Amino acid sequence: MKISQITRKNFTQNPKNDILSGITVSLAMIPEVVAFAFVAQIDPLVALSGAFIIGLITAVFGGRPGLISGAAGAVAVIFVNLISEGHSKGLLFDTPVDNMGYFYLLAAVILMGLIQVGAGVLKLGRFVRLIPHSVMMGFVNGLAIVIFLAQVRMFSHKELERGANGLKEYINIPMVGNELYVMLGLVGLTMAIIWLLPKITTKIPAALTAILVTTGIVVFGGLDVSTVGSYIIEGGGEGLKGEFPTPNVELWQNLPINFDTFSFILPYAFLAASVGLIESLMTMNLVDELTETRGNGNRECVAQGAGNIVSGLFGGTGGCGMIGQTVININAGGRGRLSGIAMALTLLTFILFTAQYIEQVPIAALVGVMFMMVIETFAWSSFRILRKIPVSDAVVLIIVSAVTVIFDLAIAVFIGVIVSALVFAWKNAIMIRARKRIQPDGTKTYEIWGPLFFGSIQNFNSKFDAKNDPQNVEIDFVESRVSDHSALEAIFNLVSKYEAEGKSIKLKHLSEDCKILLYKASPKFKEVIIEAIDDPRYHLAADPEKFTKPLSEYSI
């Protein structure tokens, strides 16, 4: 298939579903992005502008059609300390700057984007393949729980109260009585429509229909409930109405361009870039599974980075792929790039022209949509398979889920991968075997089976008996793979041990790269290694993205 055909298919395969699902996602995007803005202590319009810019750029240029990106909470949390410390640094300047934390945020977002583009150019996106399925399931479950808890917090409203320090501050007041019952009723109605409508017809998106029906009941019924507009105002915002994003000139007027600024924003930018790429690439993997297609991780890295660079330059906050909105999009029928484009343009339309209408949408309708998304996202099968999968995988799944909820997504994934790698290393360490046999001429042959690496060298060394072995010894590596420097060192020491006993030792069927390294280590290996005609040829696994020709054109 030609590139033009692929591009046309991604944009126009099912425009109706893509556009309607994009509109639905944009409505569900608003309260979540606004909530994250409150967490990061920035103007909600800054977060909404970032969501529009990042969502549009990644939809057009990203490596995964159907993936929705925006100003995500996983990234917003990282910038909380940067903004507060930035405000403090700004007050220490010769000419104090009141909102200095905001300008440091924009600089960090730009640097974050540059790091992500670099990761894509260096093709680091391929390393997402190293994430085990148990980590993936734990990530999905943990993130679903985090999203669920975020929606539960919506069953409260903010009130202005004088705090202990004498300053006025907003505090959360839980809903009670009729207010709570009305909220629960509207959430239940929204969820019921989303569940029942597809059983009747699939021609209209269930989530969008549920939002419109619930909004109509609230508006025409005159119900006094929390809406998008009241939610923004309760949090300290002035409303949804904004202007078209333009380059932020004040950034370069106020931000000191020096090493101190770079060293201050670098740790935050690096962590945000890592978290953003992990969440984006794992969301991409989830979409791959849901749609039975495959995205391009390196291209997605570059697109995410480009989106963050432009967002920072235009005064928006940073973001990444959003699993909740992506699942809503996929469930609503959004498969192509047009769904992400429709989401971004609809979000911009809300900000510029229809803020007064969108502000009337009840929070209950959006909470109901997110609850259904949580139900769809959570891997319920994990409860069933916990007793069927290896104990180590079950432990990793639970650990990743728990750490995602308690700490952070990036920490959870790193811990999951490290634990999985250690388990894998341990299992392979005990797999090393040595079959021993005596040849007719009295030579003792050790046939090594299993990977030889840092974890297995102790077991490898225990297989040999240099003192009691016969004069001539041969070690055959035809069923073993020498993997690292520790393995080379083990071979070197073993040969030295036999030579110290005055015995002859030969090595054969070593891989070519291993022989080259041993020859460099010591010239004596040229006498020890047997260059057999039947030496196997080991090859490293190639990147599948480099194979662009049909399979029939490759000679095997």
Side-chain angles (χ1 to χ4, degrees), residues 93-105:
F93 292 164
D94 295 335
T95 303
V97 180
D98 291 335
N99 199 26
M100 195 62 210
Y102 171 61
F103 299 115
Y104 278 120
L105 167 67

Side-chain angles (χ1 to χ4, degrees), residues 251-482:
L251 170 64
W252 310 112
Q253 295 174 344
N254 294 285
L255 185 72
I257 308 299
N258 52 38
F259 181 76
D260 180 66
T261 297
F262 177 76
S263 61
F264 173 57
I265 66 174
L266 179 60
Y268 297 100
F270 180 79
L271 182 57
S274 302
V275 170
L277 288 183
I278 290 173
E279 184 161 359
S280 299
L281 293 175
M282 294 191 74
T283 302
M284 184 190 77
N285 273 3
L286 179 62
V287 178
D288 289 350
E289 292 182 8
L290 294 174
T291 61
E292 297 182 352
T293 56
R294 183 174 179 180
N296 186 320
N298 296 317
R299 181 174 174 179
E300 187 63 35
C301 291
V302 174
Q304 292 287 339
N308 280 301
I309 292 172
V310 176
S311 179
L313 291 173
F314 279 69
T317 187
C320 63
M322 303 178 73
I323 186 171
Q325 280 65 28
T326 299
V327 171
I328 292 174
N329 182 49
I330 297 299
N331 290 341
R335 294 292 187 276
R337 298 186 183 278
L338 191 57
S339 61
I341 296 172
M343 182 283 297
L345 294 179
T346 304
L347 194 61
L348 180 64
T349 302
F350 292 160
I351 297 172
L352 298 180
F353 307 112
T354 61
Q356 67 272 27
Y357 301 112
I358 303 305
E359 288 176 355
Q360 297 180 49
V361 174
I363 290 294
L366 303 177
V367 171
V369 172
M370 297 302 288
F371 275 161
M372 290 302 292
M373 181 277 301
V374 168
I375 294 172
E376 292 284 343
T377 303
F378 193 89
W380 300 101
S381 60
S382 57
F383 292 115
R384 186 180 69 254
I385 67 174
L386 275 178
R387 295 183 179 180
K388 299 180 180 180
I389 60 178
V391 175
S392 58
D393 287 340
V395 171
V396 168
L397 193 159
I398 295 171
I399 288 176
V400 173
S401 299
V403 175
T404 300
V405 174
I406 299 171
F407 295 103
D408 181 76
L409 166 66
I411 296 175
V413 173
F414 284 137
I415 290 176
V417 171
I418 290 171
V419 172
S420 298
L422 290 175
V423 171
F424 176 81
W426 173 254
K427 289 181 178 178
N428 280 273
I430 60 177
M431 286 177 62
I432 195 81
R433 297 286 186 273
R435 290 188 289 262
K436 306 167 189 177
R437 59 188 177 87
I438 303 297
Q439 296 182 11
D441 61 357
T443 300
K444 186 175 183 179
T445 299
Y446 289 88
E447 295 179 352
I448 307 302
W449 181 91
L452 184 58
F453 68 111
F454 67 90
S456 61
I457 57 174
Q458 185 173 356
N459 286 340
F460 171 76
N461 290 330
S462 66
K463 307 297 180 185
F464 300 93
D465 187 358
K467 289 185 178 180
N468 299 317
D469 275 349
Q471 182 65 30
N472 297 318
V473 175
E474 186 177 272
I475 305 177
D476 190 342
F477 290 91
V478 70
E479 294 184 19
S480 179
R481 184 70 171 91
V482 180

